[in-house]
Amino acid sequence: MTMNTTTAANITVTSSPTLALLTEPFRISLIVIYSVVLLVGITGLVLMFSLLKTNIRSLTTIAFLNLMVAHFLFLLTVPFRIYYYSVHRWALGYGMCKLVSAMVHIHIYMVFTIYAIILTLRFLHYYKKTQRTEFYRRLHALGASAVVWFLLLLIMLPLVLSQYGDTAPDIERQCFQFGNMIQKHEVIKAVNMILSIFIISVSCIQTFIQAIILHTLIRKHGSASRSQQEFWVQIKNLIFVLIMLTCLVPYHLFRLKYLNDTVNLYAINEVFLAITGLTCFDMLTFTGKGVCHVCWT
């Protein structure tokens, strides 16, 4: 009788992977990380409003303004995560759970895409492959941004939400646990692996290019490098690269392992996922006197 009870208990645990709960140390860590993200993110957004006074036709400026929008939309969902990890109980409905959960991933891909665009434009400009870095008219710049966000919010977001999570977990107790969907659908698992490998590869390539450019400038100007405006422009680029390497790449490296064991690695994956939110620190990097002149030159 005892053996049957034990066996039944084991079967229950094995068949309910979505019931894996976060222990207190992980919940405290997540609360601290997301609280820092929220504080720094709000501060950065307030300070970066000064960018609205810059040349709105500049491709780099447009990219950075879109980065601010991506951060803003993500920060709107952060309080819900802090709330959940604090009370360890979700009572806002399954749809809201999917929305908050999806936004952190949308934020990752938007931030990475904008970083890649900014760095590519800077690299092309450095190697004189392109001279024009502006739209012809301000309306064209705003129109391009509007199209991007229209596609994201009105087409991609509903599509993601409709496909994100095929079985509702016990939402009275938990949220942000959709690992069972990955295990059930090999296509979704393959897409996630491809995206992770792509982000890691592009980040490494851009890091390599940035290292070459900095090495070239230092060899050319020597100790006088710090007096060269181009050197400081490349330092700004280096900050983007470092943010990718410290916030985005570790998560995607770990994700390659997590995709094969979404149950046991769930808690650690949540911590790595939270660290991606620290990309909001990028806004603090470009604040201060002379930001427009130095950053966008």
Side-chain angles (χ1 to χ4, degrees), residues 214 217-218 220-235 293-294 297:
L214 280 174
L217 287 174
I218 293 174
K220 179 179 180 180
H221 301 289
S223 58
S225 297
R226 287 180 295 180
S227 62
Q228 301 296 318
Q229 187 180 45
E230 180 61 34
F231 175 78
W232 291 108
V233 170
Q234 297 305 322
I235 291 298
H293 176 72
V294 175
T297 301

Side-chain angles (χ1 to χ4, degrees), residues 68-92:
M68 291 173 60
V69 174
H71 288 327
F72 172 73
L73 294 177
F74 165 65
L75 290 172
L76 289 178
T77 65
V78 171
F80 295 101
R81 286 185 170 271
I82 297 175
Y83 146 78
Y84 170 68
Y85 295 128
S86 298
V87 302
H88 207 199
R89 184 180 184 85
W90 187 265
L92 300 178

Side-chain angles (χ1 to χ4, degrees), residues 21 47 50 79 100 112 122 136 153 178-179 208 213 217 222 224 275:
L21 302 178
L47 295 175
S50 61
V100 175
F112 169 78
R122 294 287 186 80
Y136 287 100
L153 297 179
F178 300 100
F208 180 69
I213 293 176
L217 287 174
I275 291 175

Side-chain angles (χ1 to χ4, degrees), residues 25-255:
F26 282 107
R27 289 195 295 114
I28 293 175
S29 299
L30 289 167
I31 292 172
V32 170
I33 294 174
Y34 279 116
S35 296
V36 172
V37 168
L38 186 62
L39 177 62
V40 172
I42 292 176
T43 303
L45 283 175
V46 171
L47 295 175
M48 286 304 293
F49 276 132
S50 61
L51 284 180
L52 295 176
K53 301 176 182 179
T54 64
N55 179 11
I56 198 65
R57 294 184 302 167
S58 168
L59 288 174
T60 311
T61 304
I62 289 297
F64 206 90
L65 290 176
N66 279 279
L67 182 62
M68 291 173 60
V69 174
H71 288 327
F72 172 73
L73 294 177
F74 165 65
L75 290 172
L76 289 178
T77 65
V78 171
F80 295 101
R81 286 185 170 271
I82 297 175
Y83 146 78
Y84 170 68
Y85 295 128
S86 298
V87 302
H88 207 199
R89 184 180 184 85
W90 187 265
L92 300 178
Y94 186 52
M96 189 64 179
C97 173
K98 290 203 297 182
L99 175 62
V100 175
S101 184
M103 277 307 300
V104 69
H105 295 283
I106 292 175
H107 177 251
I108 290 173
Y109 297 124
M110 285 300 297
V111 167
F112 169 78
T113 300
I114 295 172
Y115 279 9
I117 291 174
I118 291 175
L119 288 171
T120 299
L121 289 174
R122 294 287 186 80
F123 294 158
L124 290 175
H125 183 71
Y126 174 81
Y127 287 111
K128 309 301 182 184
K129 297 298 183 181
T130 179
Q131 295 296 326
R132 183 168 186 81
T133 58
E134 292 185 356
F135 286 92
Y136 287 100
R137 298 180 60 184
R138 177 179 299 185
L139 184 61
H140 295 167
L142 296 177
S145 298
V147 169
V148 171
W149 287 105
F150 173 81
L151 294 175
L152 177 67
L153 297 179
L154 297 184
I155 298 178
M156 289 185 61
L157 184 57
L159 180 63
V160 169
L161 291 179
S162 65
Q163 301 297 322
Y164 193 67
D166 54 359
T167 303
D170 180 8
I171 58 176
E172 289 299 321
R173 291 176 51 190
Q174 62 182 4
C175 184
F176 313 137
Q177 297 194 32
F178 300 100
N180 61 323
M181 179 185 64
I182 297 175
Q183 297 301 323
K184 290 180 180 178
H185 304 285
E186 289 297 325
V187 174
I188 295 177
K189 181 178 179 180
V191 170
N192 275 269
M193 293 186 69
I194 291 173
L195 286 173
S196 293
I197 293 173
F198 177 77
I199 288 177
I200 294 169
S201 300
V202 172
S203 298
C204 291
I205 291 172
Q206 292 196 318
T207 299
F208 180 69
I209 295 174
Q210 185 61 64
I212 291 177
I213 293 176
L214 280 174
H215 178 70
T216 301
L217 287 174
I218 293 174
R219 286 192 60 184
K220 179 179 180 180
H221 301 289
S223 58
S225 297
R226 287 180 295 180
S227 62
Q228 301 296 318
Q229 187 180 45
E230 180 61 34
F231 175 78
W232 291 108
V233 170
Q234 297 305 322
I235 291 298
K236 296 291 184 181
N237 295 348
L238 180 62
I239 293 173
F240 280 120
V241 170
L242 292 177
I243 291 176
M244 286 196 301
L245 292 179
T246 56
C247 297
L248 301 183
V249 172
Y251 167 71
H252 288 283
L253 283 173
F254 180 79
R255 190 165 182 80

